Amino acid sequence: MSLPLPDALFLLALHPTRGTVHAAAYRAIEHGMRAAVLLELKLRGYIQVKRDGQGRVHPDAPEPPGHVLLRDTLDAMRRDAERCTVEAWLDLVQREVPDLRGPVVRRLQQAGILRAVERERIMLPDQITLPTADPAPREDLLAVARAALDAGDALKPRHGALVGLVVACHLERPVFEVRARAASLCADWVAERDAIVRTLRRVVAETEAGV
């Protein structure tokens, strides 16, 4: 899997031919992308997160990431507080880096994975949709995510994070189809061990409950 987690999640959230976000993920996708940014920063060694949700910017972090969304988030973390909690970091991303989709869409378009199509709507403004132009990266993501369900204790952190994000955003049926139940169980396993996925699930549940 070569795509960063924010790009991967957004690509899987899109219907490949309609180019719009699956209805099931409509209220969760923005939360999911914020968590995907944190997970990507964690996997790349920019931040450290304890199981209890306490985190900090790594004191010996690598060079700044090239992905503009990751870089802007990391800069905001350093300005705000290098020690924080996952929940506070999610709020920070929402406040300081409001354009989550823009950098991701531009990267996916530049890579030839998505194309922009203007769709006319009666009595409503025209809508820009993003159908798949090159199906190979999406098919690769689907294969990786589905194979992760059978990895057991050998589940790679990146693959587990992807499953956790997909399920938290209610995309288990479009992505895993008949294995949606197995995906939910795998995501439960990941959430028990990863504070970012666990916090995302709670935030999504509270948003959908109107809390």
Side-chain angles (χ1 to χ4, degrees):
M1 187 178 83
S2 59
L3 289 177
L5 287 172
D7 305 43
L9 177 62
F10 187 69
L11 183 58
L12 291 177
L14 290 173
H15 189 284
T17 56
R18 291 199 296 266
T20 55
V21 172
H22 283 283
Y26 184 76
R27 298 188 67 187
I29 188 60
E30 301 297 329
H31 296 296
M33 290 184 69
R34 285 190 279 273
V37 170
L38 297 186
L39 283 163
E40 187 66 36
L41 289 172
K42 177 186 172 186
L43 288 167
R44 294 192 188 195
Y46 292 104
I47 63 173
Q48 297 172 313
V49 180
K50 294 181 179 179
R51 197 162 178 169
D52 65 359
Q54 297 292 318
R56 68 171 183 170
V57 175
H58 198 297
D60 297 312
E63 291 296 312
H67 193 305
V68 65
L69 183 55
L70 301 180
R71 187 173 64 246
D72 289 351
T73 300
L74 189 60
D75 287 345
M77 287 174 164
R78 285 174 169 151
R79 288 194 306 269
D80 190 75
E82 294 197 0
R83 291 184 179 274
C84 211
T85 64
V86 170
E87 185 171 7
W89 270 341
L90 289 173
D91 290 340
L92 175 70
V93 179
Q94 183 175 15
R95 184 177 70 250
E96 300 292 336
V97 193
D99 183 16
L100 292 171
R101 297 193 189 191
V104 168
V105 169
R106 285 191 290 273
R107 283 172 56 90
L108 294 174
Q109 285 183 290
Q110 289 166 2
I113 299 171
L114 297 178
R115 59 190 177 92
V117 175
E118 190 173 17
R119 188 181 74 176
E120 295 183 1
R121 298 187 296 177
I122 298 174
M123 303 296 291
L124 290 170
D126 292 346
Q127 179 185 27
I128 300 298
T129 61
L130 298 162
T132 300
D134 177 3
R138 185 175 186 275
E139 291 299 323
D140 177 59
L141 284 174
L142 290 172
V144 166
R146 291 166 181 172
L149 303 186
D150 299 315
D153 291 340
L155 180 66
K156 294 180 179 179
R158 178 170 293 276
H159 299 170
L162 181 63
V163 174
L165 289 166
V166 165
V167 173
C169 291
H170 307 308
L171 291 164
E172 59 269 31
R173 292 198 179 278
V175 171
F176 296 102
E177 299 177 340
V178 297
R179 302 200 66 190
R181 176 58 179 164
S184 295
L185 292 175
C186 180
D188 290 345
W189 187 90
V190 172
E192 288 176 3
R193 292 157 177 80
D194 189 285
I196 298 175
V197 174
R198 188 166 61 251
T199 303
L200 168 63
R201 290 166 66 137
R202 179 174 56 77
V203 169
V204 168
E206 290 174 352
T207 297
E208 293 174 342
V211 176

